[in-house]
Amino acid sequence: MERLRSSPLHANISTALDKHLESIHVVQARRKDEIVNASSRQRHGPPRCQDERVVLALAAALQALCLATRKVRTVLWCAFQMTLPK
């Protein structure tokens, strides 16, 4: 989009994209933690408190990803509108 405009876009656009990518990485890490915890629970028995913390961390990461996705969609729509010819 910057090439179409021949000028750099607002700094908030790249910031929103970076936060979205960071949120994706956090969700991936929480999901890996959940998988590791589930596989170790099958071997050693059920420590419930630990499982709930892992699932709640995943849920919080998904909520943050949802918010970041909404923001990045809005930002990309605005960037698209700025690149359209008048």
Side-chain angles (χ1 to χ4, degrees):
M1 285 188 243
E2 290 175 339
R3 289 183 192 149
L4 293 173
R5 252 187 97 193
S6 301
S7 65
L9 294 172
H10 198 274
N12 288 346
I13 294 171
S14 61
T15 303
L17 289 169
D18 290 340
K19 287 183 180 181
H20 186 252
L21 183 61
E22 181 183 330
S23 296
I24 290 171
H25 291 306
V26 169
V27 168
Q28 288 175 338
R30 297 298 176 256
R31 181 68 178 129
K32 286 179 186 176
D33 292 344
E34 183 190 26
I35 290 169
V36 167
N37 194 20
S39 66
S40 67
R41 189 182 84 207
Q42 288 176 352
R43 288 185 235 146
H44 300 296
R48 294 290 299 166
C49 187
Q50 181 87 11
D51 290 344
E52 291 174 1
R53 278 190 252 140
V54 172
V55 172
L56 288 175
L58 177 61
L62 285 171
Q63 183 180 16
L65 177 62
C66 182
L67 291 173
T69 302
R70 279 192 226 143
K71 287 180 184 179
V72 85
R73 284 175 52 199
T74 302
V75 163
L76 288 175
W77 182 83
C78 291
F80 174 68
Q81 293 299 316
M82 291 180 351
T83 58
L84 290 175
K86 293 182 181 180

